[in-house]
Amino acid sequence: MTARMDNKFATLKAEGRPALVTYFMGGDPDYETSLQIMKALPEAGADVIELGAPFSDPMADGPAIQLAGQRSLKNGHSLKKTLDMARDFRQSDDTTPIVIMGYYNPIYIYGVERFLDDALEAGIDGLIIVDLPAEMDDELCIPARKRDINFIRLTTPTTDEKRLPKVLTNTSGFVYYVSMTGITGSALPDPSKIAGAVERIKKSTDLPICVGFGVKTAEHARLIGASADGVVVGTAIVNQVATSLDKQDRATADTVQSVATFVRGLATGVRSARLVAAE
Amino acid sequence: MNETPKPNSFRSGPDEDGRFGIFGGRFVAETLMPLILDLQAEWEKAKTDPEFQAELQYLNTHYTGRPSPLYFAERLTAELGGAKIYFKRDELNHTGSHKINNCLGQILLAKRMGKTRIIAETGAGQHGVASATVAARFGLPCVVYMGATDVERQAPNVFRMKLLGAEVRPVTSGHGTLKDAMNEALRDWVTNVDDTYYLIGTAAGPHPYPELVREFQSVIGKETKEQMMAAEGRLPDMLVAAVGGGSNAIGLFHPFLDDDSVQIVGVEAGGKGLDGEEHCASLTAGSPGVLHGNRTYLLQDGDGQIKEGHSISAGLDYPGIGPEHSWLKDVGRVEYVPIMDDEALAAFQMLTRTEGIIPALEPSHALAEVIKRAPKMGKDQIIVMNLCGRGDKDIFTVGKILGMGL
């Protein structure tokens, strides 16, 4: 529901700090470990969870997320199990917003209406579907909005002033500003350019602006968080999982812990963002 | 599935959103959306610009060698004892296949748009070679993405591309095949948005690609119509073409779609049979889904994950199909049938010996269907088959299967 998302950003605004939005791949490397990671995220300081739904052909993602999706699918993960994971998570956490991030085909095959019913019931608050631009709003965005599920859109450096209003129409929850052209996991661009872009988007919307693509360290999180309402970290978290696995890509005793430790560091970065910015 | 209503014309698509019925569309990341809108705007201008059309026609004539002949295959016709068989000989084009028709059109668009770098994906390497060729002709750097598995299997084409000055980047992500090469090309495009033109090789992808590739390939069907009128004074009774992504087929079919008397057959790669996993018959054995920018028939599992295709012909080895073919199937205008690897191989050998033409394995699939149908048709009936590529590239594959080391 949109309420969890709106409440979260209202609380953060009152606290005067940006959100830490963390992406991880559902089912990587297996269901149980992945669920433990999901539960560990809010404890480590994540404010919003992006739950990655694996797809065989992730055209907008870099190698790290593609490999994570392959590991997940190989172990029998599916869109249905992605929803199961959210449902299991909601047993112990009813406040952290969950956004499913993925590609359209698995949802299309699941059936749009059935998927939205099940997503709402599983406690999903929003969707980021990479290959559904504003031109395709009738497919999923409008049906999702009718159920009070947020449809969060990516805006990019190629989204110019003329196009921005079209992209923002029907967007809700927050706006995800992709800080560069390219795929997930590339290098971080100049923070001052990002601040300018955030200001530009803010002129057209009251929604929170979260910035992602290329954020890898607590220092990055701090720099981006100085101007944005939220910082999105994905590939760096997926890499924490990948490097903790054994040679057969199985989870080890370190897997959940290494993600938690890393996210804790990011949380510190985000929490110091405005303090430094105010100096 | 929704019942697709019969249209007044089968040639009016796509609509302004790039849809053919429920198929087609623009399913791309926001980063690419402004780029494909730019491409669409430029394409709208180019298609009615006499200068653009004149330049393309000049190149088609003097660089490619168009019009390609419409050849009456007398010995094959006698051998099969039924309908008269004509071949539209696009295998005689410069670079050896129909792919050059599309590449010339698109590179002229790239030039108009001021793009300075060309990227392309390739499976067997035919489109890669054609892209590298036009890039050399226009002096633009060219990067070709090719699945690592295909780089190994298609060494002669890899060398050709390198000779032509292109950089061939082997793709190891996913399963290292054509669809992964396409993913990688899209990733390159999303990263290099300012200077790069993505030269898609088939009539698929986000709008306006399916339309513009079709238009550039329709020269095949337009010539066929004129040549057939000159040779026989009437339209053919049947058209047959192989479909992988479907660009040679849509190029032959499109000008004939509203000619009711012409029966149209598209031939898919049935691989080792539709019962197992090793085929590429997305129309016969797949279901509608969304991949690579468009909704179309795909080979996929129950969770919407895309499967790998298999075919003896690397050029048909793609788990999707151009969206217009999906629509033509659903409205019933075109019939799509599978042909197995061994049937294609037999047809390949038959044509070589009866007509002295070594066809590529892709049109060998179309030929296998012709071999099935022609004997059942009357001697006064006419089939035109698109002989869209020559078999030089395939002799190594065929040699291996026939147990002859080369």
Side-chain angles (χ1 to χ4, degrees):
Chain A
M1 285 193 310
T2 56
R4 268 190 295 254
M5 186 80 75
D6 295 345
N7 290 344
K8 177 61 78 174
F9 278 101
T11 309
L12 292 170
K13 196 168 184 183
E15 284 179 31
R17 70 167 179 90
L20 175 60
V21 181
T22 52
Y23 170 97
F24 77 109
M25 176 61 77
D28 174 30
D30 62 76
Y31 187 92
E32 228 7 83
T33 309
S34 185
L35 179 60
Q36 294 310 315
I37 289 172
M38 190 173 186
K39 288 178 174 171
L41 291 172
E43 286 166 23
D47 301 298
V48 177
I49 293 177
E50 285 182 10
L51 168 56
F55 182 48
S56 53
D57 293 79
M59 282 114 51
D61 284 301
I65 289 178
Q66 176 158 22
L67 288 170
Q70 284 175 6
R71 287 192 295 268
S72 165
L73 290 171
K74 201 176 158 200
N75 278 327
H77 207 66
S78 60
L79 186 58
K80 185 183 168 296
K81 288 187 179 170
T82 304
L83 293 174
D84 289 346
M85 188 169 285
R87 205 176 288 114
D88 284 348
F89 174 87
R90 282 275 174 253
Q91 303 286 327
S92 55
D93 184 331
D94 199 34
T95 55
T96 307
I98 305 173
V99 176
I100 286 189
M101 183 162 181
Y103 293 79
Y104 183 43
N105 197 50
I107 295 172
Y108 179 68
I109 296 307
Y110 195 101
V112 166
E113 297 297 325
R114 187 163 78 90
F115 169 76
L116 291 171
D117 287 344
D118 291 357
L120 200 60
E121 181 269 324
I124 300 299
D125 304 280
L127 303 172
I128 301 177
I129 306 302
V130 184
D131 52 354
L132 285 178
E135 280 71 6
M136 294 284 142
D137 271 357
D138 290 342
E139 295 281 336
L140 181 65
C141 173
I142 301 209
R145 293 295 305 275
K146 281 188 185 147
R147 319 278 173 116
D148 221 11
I149 293 178
N150 290 297
F151 200 84
I152 294 144
R153 190 109 52 204
L154 277 65
T155 71
T156 71
T158 58
T159 314
D160 60 16
E161 305 287 344
K162 203 172 103 229
R163 182 167 170 76
L164 191 57
K166 186 172 179 76
V167 173
L168 293 174
T169 308
N170 299 329
T171 299
S172 66
F174 62 89
V175 175
Y176 184 158
Y177 178 66
V178 175
S179 58
M180 61 188 163
T181 59
I183 51 176
T184 52
S186 312
L188 185 76
D190 180 0
S192 67
K193 279 194 187 157
I194 294 174
V198 170
E199 284 314 306
R200 186 168 62 90
I201 300 167
K202 275 197 176 292
K203 281 182 199 151
S204 306
T205 181
D206 293 329
L207 290 170
I209 316 292
C210 298
V211 177
F213 275 43
V215 183
K216 290 191 178 69
T217 64
E219 177 62 9
H220 287 161
R222 187 181 67 79
L223 287 169
I224 303 279
S227 57
D229 301 307
V231 180
V232 188
V233 186
T235 298
I237 291 173
V238 169
N239 278 336
Q240 290 296 320
V241 175
T243 52
S244 77
L245 303 177
D246 71 11
K247 281 180 184 150
Q248 278 80 47
D249 281 343
R250 288 175 305 207
T252 63
D254 292 336
T255 303
V256 177
Q257 205 44 54
S258 72
V259 173
T261 307
F262 180 68
V263 171
R264 221 169 278 128
L266 296 170
T268 313
V270 164
R271 280 166 176 75
S272 64
R274 298 290 164 79
L275 300 173
V276 178
E279 274 170 8
Chain B
M1 275 298 93
N2 294 338
E3 188 78 6
T4 315
K6 288 261 185 285
N8 295 325
S9 166
F10 291 102
R11 303 180 65 222
S12 56
D15 68 14
E16 59 183 24
D17 295 319
R19 292 186 190 265
F20 303 90
I22 67 160
F23 300 104
R26 287 180 287 217
F27 296 88
V28 297
E30 170 61 22
T31 315
L32 291 182
M33 204 55 221
L35 278 71
I36 63 171
L37 291 174
D38 281 352
L39 175 61
Q40 190 181 341
E42 198 60 44
W43 162 240
E44 294 298 332
K45 280 186 262 171
K47 69 179 170 187
T48 54
D49 179 354
E51 218 169 288
F52 178 85
Q53 295 302 337
E55 191 173 4
L56 181 57
Q57 201 180 342
Y58 178 87
L59 289 164
N60 276 342
T61 306
H62 299 284
Y63 192 66
T64 304
R66 303 211 70 92
S68 65
L70 184 69
Y71 167 73
F72 173 49
E74 201 178 340
R75 292 230 315 138
L76 184 69
T77 299
E79 176 103 8
L80 295 174
K84 287 177 89 169
I85 298 160
Y86 280 84
F87 293 133
K88 179 59 175 165
R89 297 201 56 192
D90 257 50
E91 104 278 13
L92 293 175
N93 294 342
H94 179 42
T95 73
S97 80
H98 68 288
K99 292 291 186 187
I100 191 82
N101 304 330
N102 168 46
C103 287
L104 281 173
Q106 287 203 53
I107 201 136
L108 290 179
L109 272 180
K111 202 177 75 167
R112 278 176 77 102
M113 297 178 79
K115 301 293 182 184
T116 54
R117 177 175 176 266
I118 302 297
I119 57 170
E121 84 294 337
T122 197
Q126 290 307 95
H127 174 60
V129 168
S131 300
T133 299
V134 299
R137 167 65 181 75
F138 284 86
L140 296 176
C142 177
V143 173
V144 180
Y145 289 92
M146 187 169 185
T149 324
D150 291 330
V151 169
E152 251 171 62
R153 286 193 294 201
Q154 307 287 338
N157 272 342
V158 173
F159 185 58
R160 273 185 201 112
M161 287 184 262
K162 288 180 178 167
L163 278 176
L164 290 159
E167 181 193 341
V168 179
R169 291 194 189 159
V171 175
T172 52
S173 64
H175 293 85
T177 58
L178 176 56
K179 84 178 167 74
D180 300 301
M182 199 151 176
N183 290 335
E184 215 55 42
L186 285 163
R187 287 175 182 136
D188 180 314
W189 201 25
V190 108
T191 309
N192 301 294
V193 293
D194 294 327
D195 62 349
T196 298
Y197 183 92
Y198 180 18
L199 209 172
I200 291 187
T202 192
H207 180 61
Y209 281 107
E211 181 193 329
L212 65 88
V213 175
R214 176 194 77 201
E215 288 304 304
F216 295 139
Q217 294 293 2
S218 287
V219 67
I220 300 171
K222 286 175 194 157
E223 287 174 6
T224 300
K225 224 171 187 177
E226 282 175 23
Q227 290 166 322
M228 186 47 72
M229 292 310 285
E232 298 275 354
R234 68 178 187 90
L235 295 177
D237 299 285
M238 184 184 286
L239 302 175
V240 182
V243 291
S247 70
N248 92 79
I250 203 71
L252 175 65
F253 297 168
H254 195 259
F256 291 92
L257 289 176
D258 286 335
D259 298 309
D260 293 343
S261 66
V262 182
Q263 194 185 347
I264 306 181
V265 183
V267 182
E268 295 194 284
K272 294 180 182 170
L274 302 195
D275 301 338
E277 296 279 304
E278 294 189 64
H279 62 79
C280 260
S282 32
L283 287 169
T284 321
S287 57
V290 173
L291 178 71
H292 293 152
N294 57 174
R295 177 163 26 228
T296 192
Y297 275 83
L298 299 172
L299 298 179
Q300 55 186 329
D301 68 15
D303 187 40
Q305 309 295 337
I306 310 305
K307 291 192 200 171
E308 294 295 321
H310 163 85
S311 168
I312 187 175
S313 146
L316 301 179
D317 207 346
Y318 179 66
I321 176 82
E324 194 163 9
H325 286 292
S326 292
W327 178 73
L328 289 168
K329 173 196 159 76
D330 275 15
V331 294
R333 177 62 186 97
V334 178
E335 180 189 356
Y336 294 90
V337 296
I339 280 289
M340 309 308 146
D341 284 350
D342 52 355
E343 296 173 307
L345 195 62
F348 173 97
Q349 291 171 281
M350 185 173 185
L351 186 64
T352 306
R353 291 178 191 173
T354 52
E355 294 288 347
I357 297 172
I358 302 178
L361 284 169
E362 292 81 9
S364 296
H365 285 72
L367 184 64
E369 187 64 21
V370 169
I371 291 170
K372 284 185 185 174
R373 294 197 185 223
K376 297 178 198 154
M377 293 167 68
K379 288 189 175 179
D380 56 341
Q381 290 188 291
I382 301 167
I383 300 176
V384 174
M385 189 202 100
N386 198 7
L387 189 47
C388 63
R390 57 177 172 245
D392 310 35
K393 70 181 174 65
D394 292 316
I395 56 172
F396 304 97
T397 307
V398 173
K400 209 168 163 187
I401 295 168
L402 299 179
M404 292 182 256
L406 297 177

